[in-house]
Amino acid sequence: MPTRIGIIGDVENMIDDYLGVTKMFDLSFQIGDMSTRSYDKLTDTAHRFFKGNHDNYNIFSRCDLGKFGVFDVCGIKFGWIRGADSIDQYRRSDHWYDEELSHVELDEAVQLMIVEKPSVLLTHDCPQYIAMLFNIYDRTRTRNALQSLFEEYEPDSWFFGHHHRSFRTIVGNTTFRCLNQLESYEIVV
């Protein structure tokens, strides 16, 4: 029987809507900006997430994948890297200073992806070159690291959120997909 894997965009505190989306899938991965408030309703570990830049880093959830890593699901190797920079961080009361990984952590994450070569990469933000396609030219620690990763390794698919828009492009051997809020993409294996 096929397994339905969902990749889900930013939730931005709309947890009940997110839980409705997860019902379409056997398992899913949400790619950041889950909630700045609470993760209490997130109990089903078949539906995992990692934090973006609009998440509460002081709250633990057993569904949180952590900072970065690689895992195999039904024969597909997935990699993920959390975090992004907030352009509005100086105006927000819910800003966490560790919403981006440190330089050392980003270097470790990039090296892990280069060594493990996941065919599907999940990140909250995107490489700098892809951000420029959105007319976003400011450079962040995260986008620079993701750009370095892409220059060394091109996964088959790269999913990201953060920009609150639907977008698809192919660069080299990689299909990039930006998922809008609560937008989902299905992989059937």
Side-chain angles (χ1 to χ4, degrees), residues 15 19 35 37-44 49 59-63:
I15 300 292
L19 293 173
S35 177
R37 298 181 192 135
S38 171
Y39 303 124
D40 291 347
K41 293 183 179 180
L42 306 178
T43 58
D44 185 350
F49 73 98
I59 299 174
F60 171 78
S61 169
R62 66 187 185 132
C63 297

Side-chain angles (χ1 to χ4, degrees), residues 68 71 121:
F68 60 88
F71 53 88
L121 191 57

Side-chain angles (χ1 to χ4, degrees), residues 14-125:
M14 295 180 284
I15 300 292
D16 291 332
D17 295 333
Y18 161 74
L19 293 173
V21 173
T22 64
K23 291 178 181 175
M24 300 186 307
F25 306 109
D26 299 311
L27 53 108
S28 67
F29 304 102
Q30 192 277 328
I31 55 179
D33 286 3
M34 176 63 80
S35 177
T36 58
R37 298 181 192 135
S38 171
Y39 303 124
D40 291 347
K41 293 183 179 180
L42 306 178
T43 58
D44 185 350
T45 57
H47 304 287
R48 310 293 298 267
F49 73 98
F50 56 86
K51 294 176 179 173
N53 59 307
H54 292 164
D55 279 294
N56 190 332
Y57 283 89
N58 298 322
I59 299 174
F60 171 78
S61 169
R62 66 187 185 132
C63 297
D64 184 353
L65 289 166
K67 295 179 179 183
F68 60 88
V70 176
F71 53 88
D72 185 279
V73 177
C74 301
I76 299 174
K77 190 182 281 191
F78 288 82
W80 83 92
I81 302 173
R82 76 138 175 97
D85 182 60
S86 293
I87 61 170
D88 62 346
Q89 63 185 274
Y90 302 105
R91 297 187 308 265
R92 288 184 21 228
S93 61
D94 63 347
H95 172 256
W96 286 269
Y97 291 98
D98 54 354
E99 63 188 21
E100 279 192 285
L101 296 177
S102 70
H103 286 290
V104 170
E105 292 168 324
L106 282 166
D107 287 344
E108 291 173 3
V110 165
Q111 289 307 310
L112 178 65
M113 300 308 146
I114 291 169
V115 169
E116 293 292 329
K117 297 187 179 357
S119 61
V120 179
L121 191 57
L122 310 172
T123 58
H124 185 59
D125 204 352

